[in-house]
Amino acid sequence: MNIGLEAGHTYHIRLVVDDTIGTLYVDGVALNVRMYERPGESLGVFATDGTVEVRNVSIARGLKRK
């Protein structure tokens, strides 16, 4: 499935990993994935046939409790 992204549009992305389940949110739309190997310790972002600019990145270990 190829989903086109709009050039010049700012997308808000959040990735939550909980044990073997990962949820990727793009502008509030969620995509879930089950992982069978332990996730690594780094994060990579790439673009095919274009460019990408990444800003305001943070990585947290554990969820914030209220």
Side-chain angles (χ1 to χ4, degrees):
M1 183 164 127
N2 184 7
I3 300 173
L5 299 176
E6 183 181 325
H9 179 82
T10 298
Y11 293 92
H12 300 275
I13 299 171
R14 172 173 284 168
L15 174 64
V16 178
V17 178
D18 183 9
D19 196 27
T20 62
I21 299 173
T23 305
L24 177 68
Y25 297 92
V26 179
D27 286 349
V29 177
L31 171 68
N32 291 313
V33 63
R34 174 143 335 247
M35 300 172 285
Y36 293 98
E37 294 184 24
R38 181 172 166 80
E41 298 290 326
S42 63
L43 177 67
V45 178
F46 66 93
T48 301
D49 296 330
T51 61
V52 64
E53 178 182 340
V54 179
R55 294 181 281 157
N56 301 323
V57 174
S58 64
I59 297 175
R61 294 187 180 271
L63 299 174
K64 294 180 182 178
R65 297 183 186 255
K66 292 183 178 184

